[in-house]
Amino acid sequence: MDDGAFLRAALARLGLQGDDGPLRFEKLAGGVSSDIWRVDLPSGPVCIKRALPKLRVETDWFAPVERNAYEVGWFETAAGVEPDAVPGLIGHDSQAGLFAMAFLDPDRYRQWKAELQAGRADPAVAAEVGSRIARIHAATAGKKAVADRFPTGRIFHAIRLEPYLEATAARHPDLKDVLFGLSRRTAETRLALVHGDVSPKNILIGPAGPVFIDAECAWYGDPVFDISFCLKHMLLKCLWNPELSRTYLACFDALSATWLAGVDWEPRDAAEARAATLVPGLFLGRVDGRSPVEYVTGEGDRNRVRRVARALLTTPPARFSEVGDAWRRELGL
């Protein structure tokens, strides 16, 4: 079935459009794990998203398509905590593994990754990202009803722990116990609702603050995964635009500080220590795991990541500042 026929059938099932009439749509770029379309309806544009069973990466990477339903669940749950932090949901077809949501105009909702690349790295934005995701963690911590809605440990392992931590051990066999230990510890810690892909590419900076999209990794587990996953991007961006390294690291500090200030579900020292030890594992995973970051292309830069990450994995840090300082030393800042 071609895209047009597929979308027409999906819209009909969702009650958004009948079988006849013109259909204008555009396939959007950036869908590694899903097909995403903008569809222009008489009432205005909507966004349709369908999960793929095989992700668009160089290595074979498969993931259950039912993750689409849990993405919807994350949006619904997060909207009850931070309504401005998620796109509006319009309809969900669980059988087809797709949903419709509000289309967020890129002129008003700027992708944070693009902003960072362009040199608009504002620590105040990073601070709001940290505080907003922490509020979602805090509001869902210890909530059995939320935990019961997200029995997604198998999916989370398949699309996060295995590709970013366990697969990396194949390139670093001497760190296998450490990397698999981080994976096991994360899998066994179930405290709050986790987005699972808090990355600048999945954060839009809108009129009312950061908006989180692409929540298909949603899981009720260890909230430090979210902050660690985002923090390693602040480190990697220093290799993308080296002249902005100090600003990216100021974003690292602001992001970690505001998230930590929102931790009220456990002692902050404990949460910070787990996060600080996880960051280098995820950092290393972006050069030697299943999904290498696309803008770190030189072997010299990859070796800088390896050098710092390996040292921190060998001698685990207890504070975010230890991670940031180790990277500053490597960069000569």
Side-chain angles (χ1 to χ4, degrees):
M1 183 183 298
D2 65 25
D3 286 354
F6 170 79
L7 289 171
R8 194 178 295 281
L11 292 166
R13 287 194 303 271
L14 293 171
L16 297 177
Q17 181 168 306
D19 292 333
D20 53 2
L23 180 65
R24 294 181 55 211
F25 65 91
E26 174 189 0
K27 197 164 192 175
L28 301 179
V32 172
S33 59
S34 299
D35 284 328
I36 308 170
W37 296 269
R38 169 184 170 155
V39 181
D40 291 307
L41 302 177
S43 57
V46 300
C47 188
I48 302 290
K49 183 174 182 181
R50 175 181 63 176
L52 296 172
K54 183 179 185 297
L55 279 63
R56 295 188 181 101
V57 295
E58 290 185 9
T59 60
D60 286 343
W61 184 355
F62 299 90
V65 294
E66 63 262 32
R67 66 189 188 273
N68 182 271
Y70 298 114
E71 179 172 15
V72 169
W74 190 91
F75 286 147
E76 290 175 340
T77 304
V81 181
E82 289 281 327
D84 292 328
V86 295
L89 286 171
I90 298 170
H92 177 218
D93 184 340
S94 59
Q95 185 173 358
L98 64 86
F99 64 87
M101 60 184 167
F103 177 77
L104 302 180
D105 187 341
D107 290 336
R108 300 179 65 237
Y109 293 85
R110 306 177 314 280
Q111 186 197 52
W112 196 26
K113 179 178 180 179
E115 292 291 288
L116 292 169
Q117 181 184 17
R120 294 185 288 272
D122 186 351
V125 171
E128 183 56 28
V129 169
S131 61
R132 189 162 276 192
I133 199 69
R135 287 194 290 271
I136 295 170
H137 292 157
T140 58
K143 299 294 175 61
K144 185 179 185 302
V146 179
D148 289 347
R149 190 176 182 183
F150 294 90
T152 53
R154 178 175 62 91
I155 297 174
F156 193 81
H157 180 269
I159 58 181
R160 280 296 169 263
L161 299 181
E162 192 282 333
Y164 286 95
L165 294 173
E166 296 177 11
T168 304
R171 296 287 300 274
H172 301 271
D174 60 317
L175 293 175
K176 180 178 179 180
D177 289 347
V178 175
L179 291 165
F180 273 77
L182 288 172
S183 177
R184 285 193 301 272
R185 185 190 70 187
T186 304
E188 292 168 0
T189 304
R190 304 187 73 239
L191 297 173
L193 182 59
V194 175
H195 178 283
D197 200 0
V198 180
S199 164
K201 71 179 176 61
N202 294 331
I203 299 170
L204 307 179
I205 308 306
V211 178
F212 300 93
I213 59 174
D214 285 356
E216 60 187 53
C217 303
W219 169 60
Y220 197 90
D222 193 349
V224 309
F225 187 89
D226 278 341
I227 191 63
S228 301
F229 199 81
C230 197
L231 285 172
K232 56 101 165 104
H233 278 285
M234 298 300 104
L235 303 178
L236 289 164
K237 296 297 180 284
C238 297
L239 299 175
W240 202 8
N241 287 322
E243 69 277 6
L244 297 174
S245 293
R246 294 183 188 277
T247 306
Y248 294 139
L249 287 167
C251 289
F252 177 98
D253 294 339
L255 178 64
S256 57
T258 55
W259 178 82
L260 192 60
V263 172
D264 66 2
W265 56 86
E266 63 177 308
R268 288 176 184 169
D269 285 352
E272 185 177 14
R274 283 203 318 285
T277 55
L278 184 57
V279 172
L282 297 173
F283 191 39
L284 186 60
R286 291 317 302 266
V287 296
D288 288 330
R290 291 196 187 280
S291 181
V293 67
E294 80 282 2
Y295 53 81
V296 179
T297 57
E299 196 63 15
D301 281 343
R302 293 192 189 102
N303 283 334
R304 300 183 94 173
V305 174
R306 292 171 183 136
R307 190 155 47 239
V308 172
R310 285 179 56 84
L312 291 170
L313 288 167
T314 303
T315 306
R319 298 286 179 265
F320 291 126
S321 60
E322 296 175 55
V323 178
D325 290 346
W327 191 229
R328 285 182 173 91
R329 288 192 296 271
E330 174 65 31
L331 298 177
L333 299 179

